[in-house]
Amino acid sequence: MKGEPERMSTSMAAAITLGLERGRFQRGAELGCLNLLQVYDDGCRANCTYCGLARERQAPPSGRTFIRVPWPVYPLDLLVERARAVEDRVRRVCVGMVTHPHALEDALAVIRRFRRETGMRISALISAVHFRRREDVEALRAAGADRGTVALDAATPELFERHRGRLSGSPHTWEHSWRVLEWCVEVFGRGNAGVHLIVGLGETEEEMVRTIQRAHDLGAQTHLFSFYPEAGSALQDREPPPLGQYRRVQLARYIINEELGRAEAMRFDGAGRIIDFGTDVEPLVASGLPFMTSGCPDEHGRVACNRPYGNERPGDVSLRNYPFLPEGHDLDLIRAQLREGLDDGAVPA
């Protein structure tokens, strides 16, 4: 058996928080979760069309990004040492897997190391193709993870096949990804499993909302991302989804995950856009909570994995995922954005 990996990549936000890179966060945002990702000399074996790690991505190593930002590589020993120094304010670490023959074994080793040497809660971001049995998920929990999240990404079987499955040259399948998500719910418990979904791969709002509802009914929370074109990827020329589309899906996700309503109570127009959320949404909009980053929580139930500026540049007028509670002018923008793209320019309560 090989030993634990010697290095991992980490998000730029995590590198700044750990004092490994210079920088600061706009508007006083603070990182709540260290996002780590496996790195191999021969790269990820998958070829997802939207991903900065895709096997066939046409970009030099120095210019490669993932979820919009660079992910610098550091020795695992250094990451653990620096993590211990910030665990009073950063309460979770996410160990992310790529598609590689050593991915599961290495993820278990890193989880054990963080469990043994830090007080951080640990999430496992799963590449489902490596999990052939429920016992593989049980091994994550035994190693020290308290949550498991499956990167489903696409909202429909057809889009999954095109962008993450066989048609993209990747080994992932829609059916098996849902099977592994079921195992995560069984092993970690309802509400302690998650699914990643990306808005903007070609789905309608209705299709995305119904997939969010399916995941919720299974016992999994949805962690929502907005598509961002990675240079050199197959979708480098695709535009991010309109803000109106993303805002409406964010609000619907919050309603479903907080059990304030269901997809079946929502109404959609002929283009699949949400025109009625089935409940009074103004108090929810006024709270700002639906538009914050969705991710794994800290010990108090608040979102820890807030990924500052992972879906947009800090200077953008409007943030897609707010890493802090939006207020004032932010809420004015959000109210206007919720109406964008609708025929009558308004979202009914």
Side-chain angles (χ1 to χ4, degrees), residues 13-219:
I16 292 171
T17 299
L18 293 174
L20 298 170
E21 298 285 342
R22 297 182 62 183
R24 59 188 178 88
F25 299 122
Q26 187 186 49
R27 295 181 59 178
E30 294 183 351
L31 183 71
C33 174
L34 301 179
N35 298 99
L36 306 182
L37 190 66
Q38 294 173 333
V39 57
Y40 297 100
D41 290 337
D42 51 350
C44 181
R45 301 296 176 83
N47 197 42
C48 304
T49 61
Y50 49 86
C51 185
L53 303 179
R55 185 180 68 246
E56 296 178 3
R57 182 183 178 191
Q58 301 299 310
S62 61
R64 292 173 75 86
T65 56
F66 177 62
I67 317 178
R68 198 194 68 76
V69 297
W71 284 63
V73 178
Y74 301 102
L76 180 60
D77 290 345
L78 178 60
L79 292 170
V80 173
E81 173 191 330
R82 293 297 181 94
R84 287 198 299 264
V86 301
E87 60 182 315
D88 60 326
R89 55 192 172 91
V90 180
R91 299 301 299 158
R92 182 170 286 279
V93 59
C94 178
V95 178
M97 297 173 61
V98 301
T99 303
H100 190 276
H102 297 307
L104 178 54
E105 180 183 357
D106 286 346
L108 292 171
V110 173
I111 290 169
R112 291 189 195 101
R113 178 83 182 272
F114 271 87
R115 179 73 280 167
R116 184 173 67 247
E117 299 189 30
T118 78
M120 292 180 170
R121 295 168 182 259
I122 304 172
S123 299
L125 175 55
I126 289 170
S127 177
V129 70
H130 300 300
F131 291 76
R132 309 315 305 175
R133 308 170 302 161
R134 174 183 156 142
E135 287 76 11
D136 294 330
V137 178
E138 291 173 347
L140 292 175
R141 186 180 64 178
D146 68 345
R147 299 180 71 91
T149 299
V150 174
L152 185 67
D153 294 349
T156 72
E158 297 78 16
L159 290 173
F160 187 101
E161 181 76 350
R162 183 187 311 163
H163 296 298
R164 187 163 172 77
R166 179 180 56 85
L167 294 180
S168 71
S170 291
H172 306 292
T173 69
W174 173 263
E175 294 80 7
H176 186 65
S177 296
W178 282 99
R179 184 179 305 116
V180 175
L181 183 60
E182 290 178 8
W183 292 340
C184 286
V185 173
E186 293 169 2
V187 170
F188 292 107
R190 294 184 64 85
N192 293 321
V195 60
H196 280 192
L197 288 169
I198 299 174
V199 175
L201 292 179
E203 78 290 338
T204 66
E205 294 171 29
E206 180 175 7
E207 288 170 334
M208 180 60 77
V209 167
R210 296 198 183 283
T211 298
I212 292 169
Q213 186 69 62
R214 176 181 174 181
H216 180 75
D217 290 347
L218 189 64

Side-chain angles (χ1 to χ4, degrees), residues 216-237:
H216 180 75
D217 290 347
L218 189 64
Q221 300 285 298
T222 292
H223 305 162
L224 204 63
F225 295 76
S226 177
F227 168 76
Y228 186 93
E230 302 277 7
S233 69
L235 295 187
Q236 66 175 354
D237 296 324

Side-chain angles (χ1 to χ4, degrees), residues 217-289:
D217 290 347
L218 189 64
Q221 300 285 298
T222 292
H223 305 162
L224 204 63
F225 295 76
S226 177
F227 168 76
Y228 186 93
E230 302 277 7
S233 69
L235 295 187
Q236 66 175 354
D237 296 324
R238 190 185 193 93
E239 292 293 323
L243 272 165
Q245 176 184 351
Y246 194 62
R247 291 287 181 240
R248 290 187 290 273
V249 173
Q250 279 182 308
L251 184 52
R253 182 211 66 84
Y254 186 82
I255 290 169
I256 292 168
N257 281 181
E258 296 299 317
E259 298 191 338
L260 302 173
R262 294 185 57 83
E264 295 87 346
M266 300 179 189
R267 292 194 300 117
F268 305 87
D269 65 14
R273 295 170 297 199
I274 305 168
I275 56 174
D276 189 338
F277 289 93
T279 188
D280 180 9
V281 298
E282 177 49 33
L284 305 181
V285 174
S287 76
L289 293 171

